[in-house]
């Protein structure tokens, strides 16, 4: 076992660890904030580290495209909901502005040489918003709740890829949740036992599904426990208002262990479904962070050079075929899947429609992923003319042509940007292949339910990494994945991903999986994301260098103008 990691040891330990090349500079900043936040410096209205004059009103308002799925850590399944949960709850570990691991409720951790037993030491001043102390038992409850089939968590599969001891048997109901490989050695010591060596395991604890939840509150209010007035949380903010499809408000939690270092007092979200309306309201001063409508980035960057921004993100945009028994018979033919994938001119989408630094994708895993070298898959090396010609040849071989055109429905969630991409793909399929694609859209929650229940033929998909390692993407297309909505199943992929969990260098496995995906084409990679949005110049602290974009409102602040 490694020696116990106190705060000063923590930096050196994480710096040495493979897959965790972290040097958390923000620890020093955190110490300065904690030391000086209550001093006359902050009281005088200046930032305790930078010396910038702070705005009198520390309210941060930003927009959401649609209603988030939940603020329950074990139920949430979307990016916007996870952003809110990182304010309301705090897990074992956090990330700094560069994506490095830094302490959260845990001040540090130890692990054995095999990296299959992790022991986290919890701080003794972490409190719930109702005054109860946060203990190791709260994490045990939350993780058991995540894996318990009775919870019906859409993210229960994350517990499985964390390789927790007995997780499969717990998820299947063969064993009770108490058999899961996590236990509280005492109130401030948490032990986690794994069935595989995971050098990057600690990084997985920054994911919302692993955050603690208050058992007493859930028992009292049931499914209503997340409503304002009922909810008890342990993060830097508490939820004070939630009007579905309209807005949420979260305000500072005075019992948060590092509340003195928090500068923003209030965070407001506004649901704005239309990208152009969103931009109009941003420019009118209603929001501090807003949307860049598709195709408008270059114009906005020229007009508002200090507000429009674009940077690499750990996300992909793809289309998924329904390969389940309920899916169309045509999509069972790999030639048809290849033809539809080849016929999409990704450059038109990234350079003509989006125009904001997105990268054409021919692999599922983005190049921004740590330690991942994008393999040169064959169809990615062709010119678009070559891909079109091959697509026509394959479609003819599959028996489709002018006298027998392929027809199918493409489903996407409501968004002007998604609509533009859908229309472009529809035209490409028609012009190149003579295929007839009917477009259908649904609001976010309905869309998730339809796609998760295989009630589609071809559907939009997108994934942002839960941690910065290739398995966060490739596990998605393994048979057991809870988000393998197309129900693709390949024994070699499953075996390669299983083996990768215990390998010191799994890059060869990941390359082979990408090759299989290019050969089988269960999904059509379209592009890899850029972080594109508008942000007012008086908002500081945004973590642009964090490709996962795990941001925390407590690290933001507004300066006087």
């Amino acid at each position: 076992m490694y020696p116990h990691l106190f705060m000063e040891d923590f930096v050196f330990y994480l710096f040495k660890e493979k897959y965790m090349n972290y040097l958390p500079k923000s620890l020093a900043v955190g110490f300065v904030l904690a030391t000086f936040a209550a001093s006359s410096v902050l009281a005088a209205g200046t930032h305790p580290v930078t010396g910038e004059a702070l705005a009198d009103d520390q309210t941060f308002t930003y927009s959401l495209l649609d209603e988030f799925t939940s603020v329950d850590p074990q139920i949430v399944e979307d990016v916007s909901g996870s952003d809110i949960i990182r304010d309301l709850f705090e897990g074992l570990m956090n990330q700094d502005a560069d994506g490095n691991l830094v302490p959260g409720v845990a001040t540090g951790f130890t692990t054995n040489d095999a990296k299959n037993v992790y022991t986290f030491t919890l701080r003794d001043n972490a409190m719930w918003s109702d005054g109860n102390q946060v203990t190791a038992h709260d994490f045990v409850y939350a993780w058991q709740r995540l894996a318990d089939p009775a919870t019906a968590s859409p993210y229960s599969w994350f517990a499985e890829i964390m390789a927790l001891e007995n997780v499969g048997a717990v998820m299947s109901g063969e064993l009770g949740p108490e058999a899961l490989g996590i236990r509280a050695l005492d109130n401030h010591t948490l032990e986690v036992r794994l069935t595989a060596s995971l050098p990057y395991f600690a990084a997985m604890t920054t994911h919302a599904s692993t955050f603690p939840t208050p058992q007493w509150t859930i028992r009292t209010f049931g499914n209503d426990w997340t409503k304002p007035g009922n909810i008890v949380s342990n993060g830097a903010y508490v939820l004070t208002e939630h009007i579905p499809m309209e807005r949420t408000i979260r305000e500072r939690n005075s019992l948060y262990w590092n509340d003195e270092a928090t500068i923003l007092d209030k965070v407001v979200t506004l649901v704005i479904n239309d990208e152009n309306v969103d931009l109009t309201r941003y420019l009118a001063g209603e929001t501090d962070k807003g949307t860049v409508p598709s195709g408008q980035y270059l114009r906005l960057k020229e007009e508002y050079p200090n507000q429009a921004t674009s940077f690499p993100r750990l996300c992909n945009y793809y289309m998924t075929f329904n390969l389940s028994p309920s899916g169309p018979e045509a999509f069972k033919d790999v030639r048809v899947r290849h033809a539809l994938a080849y016929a999409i001119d990704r450059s038109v989408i990234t350079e003509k429609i989006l125009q904001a630094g997105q990268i054409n994708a021919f692999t599922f895993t983005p190049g921004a992923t740590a330690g991942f070298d994008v393999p040169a898959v064959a169809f990615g090396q062709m010119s678009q003319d070559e891909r079109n010609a091959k697509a026509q040849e394959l479609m003819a071989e599959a028996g489709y042509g002018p006298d027998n055109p392929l027809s199918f429905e493409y489903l996407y969630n409501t968004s002007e940007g998604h609509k533009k991409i859908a229309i472009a793909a529809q035209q490409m399929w028609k012009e190149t292949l003579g295929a007839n694609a009917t477009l259908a859209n649904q609001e976010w929650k309905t869309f998730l339910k339809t796609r998760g229940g295989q009630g589609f033929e071809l559907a939009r998909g997108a994934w942002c990494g839960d941690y910065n390692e290739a398995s966060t993407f490739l596990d998605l297309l393994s048979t057991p994945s809870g988000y393998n909505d197309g129900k693709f199943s390949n024994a070699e992929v499953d075996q390669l991903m299983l083996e990768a969990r215990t390998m010191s260098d799994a890059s060869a496995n990941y390359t082979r999986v990408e090759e299989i995906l290019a050969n089988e084409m269960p999904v059509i990679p379209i592009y890899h994301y850029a972080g594109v949005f508008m942000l007012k110049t008086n908002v500081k602290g945004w973590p642009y260098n964090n490709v996962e974009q795990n941001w925390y409102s407590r690290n933001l602040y507004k300066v006087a103008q």
Side-chain angles (χ1 to χ4, degrees):
M1 299 289 286
Y2 288 108
H4 183 79
L5 299 178
F6 293 100
M7 295 291 275
E8 60 269 25
D9 301 319
F10 182 79
V11 175
F12 180 64
Y13 170 75
L14 290 181
F15 179 77
K16 295 193 303 177
E17 287 302 290
K18 185 176 178 63
Y19 293 105
M20 299 179 187
N21 191 22
Y22 321 108
L23 185 58
K25 302 172 185 175
S26 61
L27 282 176
V29 175
F31 289 142
V32 174
L33 285 172
T35 303
F36 295 105
S39 71
S40 59
V41 178
L42 188 57
T46 58
H47 193 284
V49 175
T50 68
E52 296 165 289
L54 296 174
D56 291 333
D57 182 9
Q58 291 294 328
T59 300
F60 176 61
T61 303
Y62 69 99
S63 61
L64 300 179
L65 178 64
D66 214 328
E67 177 72 9
F68 49 87
T69 53
S70 179
V71 292
D72 182 329
Q74 280 77 62
I75 299 298
V76 69
E77 55 178 321
D78 52 5
V79 172
S80 59
S82 295
D83 291 342
I84 295 171
I85 283 175
R86 277 192 299 277
D87 275 0
L88 301 180
F89 297 87
E90 183 169 67
L92 294 170
M93 308 299 292
N94 294 325
Q95 291 182 356
D96 69 7
D98 295 320
N100 302 314
L101 272 188
V102 294
V105 174
T107 57
F109 63 89
T110 63
T111 185
N112 59 353
D113 291 337
K115 301 212 171 38
N116 61 5
V117 178
Y118 284 77
T119 305
F120 294 85
T121 301
L122 277 57
R123 62 181 72 252
D124 59 10
N125 60 339
M127 306 291 289
W128 290 98
S129 57
D130 66 354
N132 283 312
Q133 188 175 62
V134 179
T135 72
H137 301 281
D138 300 324
F139 285 92
V140 172
Y141 170 71
W143 291 22
Q144 289 178 352
R145 183 171 177 257
L146 176 65
D148 189 347
T151 306
S153 169
Y155 241 92
S156 60
W157 62 276
F158 193 73
E160 191 160 29
I161 65 171
M162 289 172 76
L164 300 175
E165 186 178 272
N166 294 325
V167 66
V170 171
M171 289 174 61
S172 68
E174 296 175 27
L175 294 176
E178 66 281 354
L180 198 65
I182 179 172
R183 61 174 178 160
L185 301 183
D186 56 47
N187 280 349
H188 301 108
T189 311
L190 184 71
E191 181 187 81
V192 182
R193 301 181 305 280
L194 312 179
T195 57
S197 175
L198 288 185
Y200 53 84
F201 176 79
M204 301 178 81
T205 67
T206 64
H207 191 265
S209 65
T210 69
F211 291 1
T213 40
Q215 184 176 14
W216 60 96
T217 303
I218 295 173
R219 282 180 173 173
T220 300
F221 296 106
N223 292 335
D224 290 334
W225 81 273
T226 55
K227 291 184 176 181
N230 296 345
I231 190 170
V232 171
S233 56
N234 73 316
Y237 297 85
V238 294
L239 185 68
T240 58
E241 183 178 346
H242 178 203
I243 302 175
M245 293 301 297
E246 185 174 335
R247 71 174 179 270
T248 64
I249 296 177
R250 43 199 195 265
E251 301 181 56
R252 279 175 66 167
N253 174 14
S254 62
L255 294 182
Y256 177 59
W257 67 271
N258 203 19
D259 178 55
E260 288 184 337
T262 302
I263 296 178
L264 284 183
D265 292 319
K266 181 187 296 185
V267 184
V268 180
T269 67
L270 301 177
V271 177
I272 307 174
N273 295 122
D274 187 289
E275 294 175 348
N276 292 297
V277 173
D278 188 324
L279 177 62
T280 298
R281 294 177 67 174
Y282 169 84
L283 295 175
E286 290 186 46
T287 60
D288 299 300
K289 177 177 176 286
T291 299
V292 172
S294 298
Q296 297 191 42
Y297 175 74
L298 296 180
R299 174 184 70 81
L300 290 169
K301 186 64 176 176
E302 184 175 349
E303 292 183 29
Y304 306 94
N306 297 322
Q307 297 182 53
T309 186
S310 173
F311 53 91
R313 286 220 46 198
L314 197 67
C315 303
N316 62 14
Y317 192 109
Y318 63 96
M319 299 173 180
T320 185
F321 292 99
N322 182 356
L323 301 179
S324 75
S326 66
E329 190 61 32
F331 291 166
K332 304 295 194 295
D333 190 329
V334 69
R335 296 171 298 186
V336 173
R337 301 198 298 272
H338 276 153
L340 293 174
Y342 292 3
I344 293 179
D345 188 339
R346 291 153 180 79
S347 294
V348 169
I349 293 172
T350 57
E351 297 173 17
K352 304 296 184 184
I353 298 176
L354 301 175
Q355 301 181 359
Q358 292 85 358
I359 299 170
N360 295 343
F362 300 96
T363 60
F364 197 64
T365 307
T369 308
F372 178 74
D373 293 322
V374 179
V377 295
F379 84 108
Q381 305 307 301
M382 300 177 182
S383 68
Q384 189 56 45
D385 286 343
E386 290 172 333
R387 280 192 287 269
N388 287 345
K390 186 64 176 178
Q392 292 167 350
E393 176 187 327
L394 291 168
M395 193 65 87
E397 287 180 6
Y400 295 97
D403 297 330
N404 183 33
L406 175 69
S407 297
F408 61 93
E409 182 181 84
Y410 176 63
L411 177 69
Y412 62 94
N413 56 296
T414 304
S415 156
E416 189 62 28
H418 301 332
K419 181 180 179 179
K420 289 180 179 179
I421 292 172
I423 291 173
Q426 180 188 48
Q427 293 172 342
M428 293 170 191
W429 289 323
K430 182 65 174 179
E431 292 173 5
T432 304
L433 305 174
N436 299 315
T438 302
L439 305 183
N441 69 288
Q442 296 177 343
E443 63 88 19
W444 180 236
K445 287 189 176 182
T446 303
F447 170 78
L448 287 178
K449 185 176 181 180
T450 300
R451 198 181 64 184
Q454 291 72 57
F456 69 95
E457 295 184 331
L458 182 67
R460 173 195 172 260
W463 191 256
C464 290
D466 293 320
Y467 50 95
N468 196 352
E469 210 265 349
S471 61
T472 191
F473 292 97
L474 297 179
D475 270 324
L476 198 71
L477 295 174
S478 64
T479 304
S481 170
Y483 280 94
N484 183 354
D485 292 333
K487 297 305 176 186
F488 171 67
S489 182
N490 181 284
E492 186 178 358
V493 167
D494 294 346
Q495 185 60 34
L496 287 166
M497 294 309 299
L498 186 63
E499 292 172 356
R501 295 182 184 180
T502 59
M503 299 173 72
S504 58
D505 181 4
S507 56
N509 283 44
Y510 297 149
T511 295
R512 176 57 186 153
V513 171
E514 289 285 5
E515 291 171 348
I516 293 171
L517 297 181
N519 291 334
E520 295 296 321
M521 207 65 72
V523 296
I524 304 175
I526 304 297
Y527 66 84
H528 295 145
Y529 273 62
V532 185
F533 53 77
M534 303 290 288
L535 187 69
K536 293 294 174 63
T537 56
N538 66 328
V539 177
K540 305 295 183 179
W542 194 270
Y544 296 106
N545 293 331
N546 184 342
V547 293
E548 291 180 68
Q549 279 297 279
N550 283 345
W551 59 277
Y552 308 80
S553 296
R554 57 181 169 75
N555 292 334
L556 305 180
Y557 58 98
K558 297 175 78 171
V559 296
Q561 289 187 317

